[in-house]
Amino acid sequence: MKLDRDVYIAGVGETRFGKHTSDFDVLGRQAALQAMRDAHIEKPGIVQTAYVGNVQNGIVTGQMVFKDLGMCGDLAIINVESACSAGGMAVYCAVKDVATGTADISIAVGTENHSLTRQAGTAFAGATGDIETMQGLVFTGKYAMRANRYMFETGATPEDLAMVTVKNRRQATHNPHAWFKGNISIEEVLASRMVASPLTLQQCCGISDGAGAVVVCSREMTKNLGIQKPVKVSGAVVFSGPYHNRPRDLTGDDITEMAARRLYEESGIGPEDVNIIELHDAFTIAEILYYECLGLCRKGEGIKFLRDGESTYGGKCVVSPRGGMLSYGHPVGASGAAQIASCVKQLRGECAGYQVEPVPAVAMTHVTGGGMSGTEHAACTMHMLTKAWQA
């Protein structure tokens, strides 16, 4: 998306991720209130548009979130569903409103509660009416096939895959919002229950509950609100997966590669300039593949990038500094918004105990969503965020 005017993030909020007894609307309100307070918004009536990402919790989810905040009425509330990309796409829509002058201030929320509505032990699949879904393809199986092919082509081992979980759990150790954290060994990861070979339980993100929220606004509004550390949205892209029936490279991800190229082009920022990334690490193999798809390293060198410590603190680019989906869990509709909230706090230097040093100046987020036959994913949403103040 070409931004017609500068767009800034004025405030963010997020709940703890895990299993909640509070429903999605309560979680969404908690995150939204945090974000509005963070943005110094004393009168919610100044918010002009709202977007709410949700997948599993029924209809009019946005209205359910905002009604008890007294914001229903004049506020235009639009609900967004795009599988795992829903929360990120809600932020994209809010950015678009401000970029085009439709609004001077907009809020995006991603929220989800699976514990109260979803049967335990069920697996997520692609589009309901899709032929691959009807034949039993679930996402764990798809990523297991990708892992097997990658190991065949590169010589990577199950131990290499397990290193991703070890890294992300370690990075989440002091993050109060993460569900799983602390030290776990490669042996413990590999000894956990097999789900879809070679992916064991500890190599799959847990399906969690939670919410994230982001307030975006114009430059003038950041001044009116007295925002001292505005974060600039330097790029925002949404892609739908290209469809074809030709053979596909399971070790690549065409939709991510397309979205990344566009984001780098529109923002004027290359992969070598990015300090931190929150990406779609729903499974260990996913993070390794995305190193390559996002241009952090060359094709086939993802394992070397990981082994050399280039994706952790002190490396070239810290990937999943919050702990990623492998530590937070994945509340589907909430994850994309929470990624952005976490990156904003890193850019501000507010992540005590897990702050990246030196404090990053550039952050990128990446979240994919859904699946259909003939595509890698149904959607991909990415944002480029930059520090917009002088230290």
Side-chain angles (χ1 to χ4, degrees):
M1 170 174 56
K2 291 290 187 182
L3 304 181
D4 295 335
R5 63 172 177 168
D6 290 343
V7 180
Y8 297 88
I9 295 175
V12 295
E14 60 176 321
T15 68
R16 178 184 59 81
F17 278 33
K19 290 186 178 295
H20 284 276
T21 55
S22 298
D23 211 346
F24 76 94
D25 57 323
V26 177
L27 299 174
R29 279 194 291 278
Q30 291 173 356
L33 273 173
Q34 284 184 38
M36 288 190 288
R37 288 169 179 161
D38 191 39
H40 307 161
I41 294 174
E42 298 179 358
K43 297 180 179 179
I46 69 171
V47 179
Q48 295 163 305
T49 61
Y51 294 87
V52 176
N54 183 277
V55 179
Q56 295 282 320
N57 295 136
I59 62 174
V60 296
T61 49
Q63 287 77 3
M64 290 288 290
V65 168
F66 285 105
K67 70 180 179 67
D68 287 346
L69 294 176
M71 294 174 68
C72 287
D74 289 341
L75 178 65
I77 302 171
I78 300 170
N79 299 303
V80 179
E81 187 284 303
S82 192
C84 309
S85 200
M89 199 174 291
V91 178
Y92 173 90
C93 292
V95 169
K96 187 175 182 179
D97 275 3
V98 175
T100 59
T102 302
D104 288 315
I105 185 165
S106 181
I107 187 169
V109 177
T111 184
E112 201 93 47
N113 185 303
H114 296 287
S115 298
L116 299 180
T117 58
R118 188 174 179 83
Q119 183 178 348
T122 55
F124 280 99
T128 305
D130 185 72
I131 188 170
E132 291 184 349
T133 301
M134 292 188 284
Q135 296 301 317
L137 182 66
V138 294
F139 288 124
T140 313
K142 180 175 181 177
Y143 278 93
M145 289 192 292
R146 301 178 84 179
N148 279 304
R149 187 67 197 184
Y150 189 83
M151 290 194 298
F152 173 79
E153 291 192 2
T154 66
T157 66
E159 288 77 11
D160 289 323
L161 302 185
M163 286 175 61
V164 178
T165 299
V166 172
K167 173 183 75 73
N168 289 359
R169 293 282 181 85
R170 183 179 66 246
Q171 291 176 179
T173 299
H174 300 293
N175 184 344
H177 297 97
W179 190 12
F180 304 109
K181 60 185 76 177
N183 292 326
I184 187 171
S185 68
I186 289 175
E187 292 74 21
E188 288 173 314
V189 174
L190 295 179
S192 62
R193 177 170 59 86
M194 184 62 69
V195 178
S197 182
L199 301 177
T200 59
L201 183 65
Q202 299 297 340
Q203 296 184 66
C204 308
C205 65
I207 300 302
S208 61
D209 313 320
V214 180
V215 173
V216 300
C217 61
S218 63
R219 182 195 297 271
E220 188 62 31
M221 187 59 72
T222 64
K223 297 176 181 178
N224 293 343
L225 294 171
I227 304 301
Q228 298 300 309
K229 293 184 175 181
V231 170
K232 185 177 181 180
V233 180
S234 294
V237 299
V238 169
F239 269 75
S240 296
Y243 175 86
H244 66 75
N245 279 325
R246 301 186 302 277
R248 309 187 77 86
D249 176 10
L250 287 176
T251 68
D253 197 77
D254 51 12
I255 187 173
T256 292
E257 293 160 5
M258 293 163 58
R261 283 195 298 269
R262 179 71 60 81
L263 186 66
Y264 294 142
E265 176 187 337
E266 292 188 359
S267 66
I269 295 169
E272 68 281 356
D273 303 314
V274 178
N275 304 126
I276 60 172
I277 295 177
E278 288 293 342
L279 50 68
H280 197 101
D281 63 320
F283 304 93
T284 52
I285 183 60
E287 179 167 318
I288 295 166
L289 295 181
Y290 292 138
Y291 294 161
E292 300 175 14
C293 296
L294 297 173
L296 301 183
C297 61
R298 290 183 293 187
K299 180 80 169 172
E301 294 186 355
I303 289 298
K304 184 178 187 301
F305 193 78
L306 175 68
R307 288 173 178 167
D308 290 349
E310 299 293 8
S311 60
T312 191
Y313 291 74
K316 289 181 179 178
C317 179
V318 184
V319 178
S320 303
R322 69 181 180 131
M325 295 178 182
L326 287 167
S327 295
Y328 261 54
H330 183 24
V332 188
S335 290
Q339 286 180 334
I340 293 169
S342 183
C343 282
V344 167
K345 288 186 284 188
Q346 283 284 350
L347 294 177
R348 292 172 176 172
E350 296 174 348
C351 298
Y354 63 106
Q355 179 63 49
V356 175
E357 298 289 353
V359 175
V362 180
M364 187 165 72
T365 66
H366 159 268
V367 61
T368 60
M372 302 180 294
S373 60
T375 67
E376 292 296 346
H377 305 286
C380 179
T381 306
M382 296 185 64
H383 291 84
M384 189 73 77
L385 310 175
T386 55
K387 190 164 66 175
W389 69 94
Q390 295 296 320

